[in-house]
Amino acid sequence: AEQWHLVNDGPLRDTKFLPDADGQVKDARKLTVGHPSVIVAVLDEGVDVTHPDLKASMWVNEGEIWGSHEDNDGNGYAGDYHGYNFAAGNGVISTGGRYDTGHGTHVAGVIAATNNNNIGISSIAGGNGTEPGVKIMSCQIFSGSIAATVLDEVRAIKYAADNGAVILQCSWGYISAAANPYDWQPQFATDEQWKGSNVLEFNALSYFVHNAGSPDGVINGGLAIFAGGNESAPAASYPGAYPDFIAVAATAGDFTPAVYSNYGPGTTISAPGGDQDYYWDYVDETHHYSEIGCVLSTLPMHISESGYGYMEGTSMACPHVSGVAALGLSYAAKLRKHFTAEEFKALLYETVVPIDSYMSGS
């Protein structure tokens, strides 16, 4: 009931929620619940591959052996059973590093936590308990305070494309050039600046966009989906701001922009990201109900005893778009339809709810 970001029926504890200010998935899930041929690569902290609400949704490399230190399938990555830990250089996906936040597990839950299993949460494309949903490939590039090198990030992106992922879920980015310089260190302002300073990153992402998928599959090419940034800046951050990619802004439960969200040039779509500050007036001495304005999803057990918790950010908006894209591709697979990446991206933009019509009251 508190997953307003998936199905929003209106007032939730009588405060600042409007019907349909959500991911618009309720009717879509009558058509498909996801399809295991659609693989979403989560470039983030590691995904908790043993989480009871996620383990059935993890991608499995059938050529590998769980826990092996050998490269059994000869793809150059030893033990990559559910993906690969590019931050550590091994096949052990980790969530217990110092300063780990559970970020990768949280975004994965939005996309593909197992539905209809009588535990935890629901998700956008995590099946229905009988029919399997989309699969999550964990491409770990962060481990707490440790980040993979640029070269390892490039390897992660290429790995995702070469091993079947068609959606690259990236809840990260640089600081927007339009961010307040008193609070932030603004970075790249133009496509040329970002490309010139990040040639390897640009080439890897271009490789994914043009080489993921298959001419014989549901999509030829891949979708690179990024968080638009959290600096309240009037321009999205890179890499998401680059025209070939999708940059996601965040909204609250009544269509209003989240207070932290970047917006404007470079932003291509919005989705629920939560907004604790916006709901802060609904707090008393014993209950911090402002959490209900955030996104509820999966977390590793050592971070949350329940295995679930709330987060906010364009990081949380981003997997809503990845999940919706994965659900759309699942329906295309069911109908045996085929798209190019550009065709599907255009379809994604054409079928959004126009937020201006709600903001104007029409």
Side-chain angles (χ1 to χ4, degrees):
E2 293 190 357
Q3 288 188 278
W4 62 267
H5 44 98
L6 299 187
V7 180
N8 188 346
D9 292 325
L12 180 60
R13 297 191 183 138
D14 299 321
T15 180
K16 293 182 179 176
F17 288 91
L18 289 176
D20 297 328
D22 54 31
Q24 297 288 300
V25 299
K26 187 175 183 179
D27 290 338
R29 285 182 52 82
K30 297 174 183 177
L31 303 174
T32 180
V33 294
H35 195 280
S37 67
V38 178
I39 302 168
V40 182
V42 175
L43 262 71
D44 207 300
E45 288 183 354
V47 176
D48 184 353
V49 301
T50 65
H51 194 289
D53 229 356
L54 285 173
K55 59 185 180 182
S57 296
M58 296 304 302
W59 170 76
V60 172
N61 180 358
E62 300 291 352
E64 271 298 343
I65 299 170
W66 170 256
S68 174
H69 297 291
E70 303 295 326
D71 182 12
N72 295 282
D73 63 352
N75 70 347
Y77 296 94
D80 57 320
Y81 191 74
H82 291 306
Y84 197 75
N85 186 339
F86 292 88
N90 59 54
V92 181
I93 306 299
S94 68
T95 60
R98 190 179 183 188
Y99 305 120
D100 264 348
T101 64
H103 196 269
T105 301
H106 201 271
V107 301
V110 171
I111 299 166
T114 305
N115 293 307
N116 205 32
N117 60 352
N118 296 315
I119 63 169
I121 60 164
S122 295
S123 71
I124 296 174
N128 63 5
T130 302
E131 301 172 80
V134 304
K135 296 300 180 182
I136 298 291
M137 175 191 292
S138 183
C139 293
Q140 185 171 356
I141 59 171
F142 303 113
S143 182
S145 58
I146 300 171
T149 65
V150 172
L151 187 57
D152 287 327
E153 177 200 328
V154 166
R155 289 179 176 134
I157 295 168
K158 187 174 187 300
Y159 176 94
D162 292 348
N163 286 278
V166 293
I167 296 171
L168 201 65
Q169 156 60 37
C170 304
S171 280
W172 50 270
Y174 302 102
I175 302 298
S176 170
N180 185 336
Y182 291 100
D183 298 321
W184 306 92
Q185 293 182 327
Q187 292 177 275
F188 313 109
T190 66
D191 297 345
E192 290 71 25
Q193 285 181 8
W194 170 68
K195 287 169 58 178
S197 298
N198 298 274
V199 175
L200 287 176
E201 186 175 71
F202 168 73
N203 287 340
L205 287 167
S206 294
Y207 180 87
F208 186 89
V209 166
H210 296 292
N211 292 280
S214 167
D216 301 319
V218 68
I219 187 169
N220 189 14
L223 305 174
I225 305 176
F226 282 86
N230 302 324
E231 301 92 50
S232 304
S237 62
Y238 283 91
Y242 191 74
D244 286 354
F245 316 139
I246 296 169
V248 187
T251 56
D254 62 354
F255 296 100
T256 55
V259 295
Y260 53 78
S261 182
N262 292 352
Y263 57 94
T267 308
T268 45
I269 200 166
S270 301
D275 193 338
Q276 180 171 276
D277 291 354
Y278 187 53
Y279 293 87
W280 196 254
D281 58 349
Y282 201 57
V283 177
D284 62 30
E285 293 180 357
T286 58
H287 298 91
H288 290 272
Y289 291 136
S290 58
E291 279 190 336
I292 66 168
C294 299
V295 172
L296 178 63
S297 189
T298 44
L299 286 173
M301 299 294 185
H302 70 278
I303 291 176
S304 167
E305 286 187 15
S306 69
Y308 305 90
Y310 294 89
M311 288 186 176
E312 65 176 359
T314 56
S315 280
M316 276 60 255
C318 185
H320 284 81
V321 177
S322 294
V324 166
L327 198 66
L329 288 173
S330 296
Y331 190 47
K334 181 178 179 179
L335 299 180
R336 298 189 178 182
K337 288 192 173 184
H338 174 80
F339 294 93
T340 66
E342 283 301 313
E343 288 171 342
F344 191 84
K345 191 164 64 169
L347 187 64
L348 187 67
Y349 296 154
E350 289 167 6
T351 54
V352 297
V353 175
I355 196 170
D356 290 343
S357 65
Y358 286 89
M359 297 303 291
S360 65
S362 61

